[in-house]
Amino acid sequence: MTTSWITRIAALALAASAGAAFAHGKVECKEYPKAEWRPHTELEKKLVQEGWTIRRMEKTDTCYEVYGKTPDGKRVEAFFDPKTFERVED
C-alpha cells in the first residue's frame, strides 16, 4: 500500500513539473478596445502559413495566447498582440 502512495505522489509531482514548463511570467500586451482586436482565426491562419502547428489558442485580457509548435518544431506557449499580431515576450 505504501508503494501505491509513493507512485501516486511521484506521478502528481511529474505532472505538476510538466505544467510548470509552460508557466509564464506576467505577459501583457498593449490594451485595445475589443472592437479593435483582429479575429483570432486570422492569427491562426497567419501562423499556420508561417509553418506553426497550433494546438490551442486562448484569449487573455490583453493578448492572444497560442499553444503549439514553431516552424522549427519547438513546443511553445506564445503571446501575440491582438491588433498587430506581433509576438509579445516576457
Side-chain angles (χ1 to χ4, degrees):
M1 183 149 184
T2 304
T3 304
S4 176
W5 282 102
I6 292 172
T7 303
R8 289 180 186 175
I9 291 170
L12 286 172
L14 182 61
S17 67
F22 281 100
H24 54 81
K26 185 70 174 162
V27 176
E28 291 187 28
C29 297
K30 183 177 176 183
E31 285 197 45
Y32 301 103
K34 295 291 184 189
E36 293 182 23
W37 285 37
R38 293 164 61 188
H40 73 280
T41 53
E42 191 178 323
L43 173 59
E44 182 176 18
K45 182 178 178 181
K46 174 187 179 294
L47 293 175
V48 168
Q49 287 176 342
E50 292 175 0
W52 286 63
T53 302
I54 307 300
R55 190 169 47 99
R56 185 174 88 226
M57 293 181 70
E58 296 179 3
K59 294 178 186 177
T60 68
D61 290 336
T62 58
C63 300
Y64 284 131
E65 184 173 7
V66 176
Y67 295 86
K69 291 184 181 179
T70 61
D72 62 359
K74 182 178 177 189
R75 191 172 170 185
V76 296
E77 172 185 17
F79 295 83
F80 292 86
D81 182 292
K83 184 174 179 178
T84 66
F85 291 161
E86 290 181 36
R87 188 166 176 185
V88 178
E89 303 291 334
D90 288 337

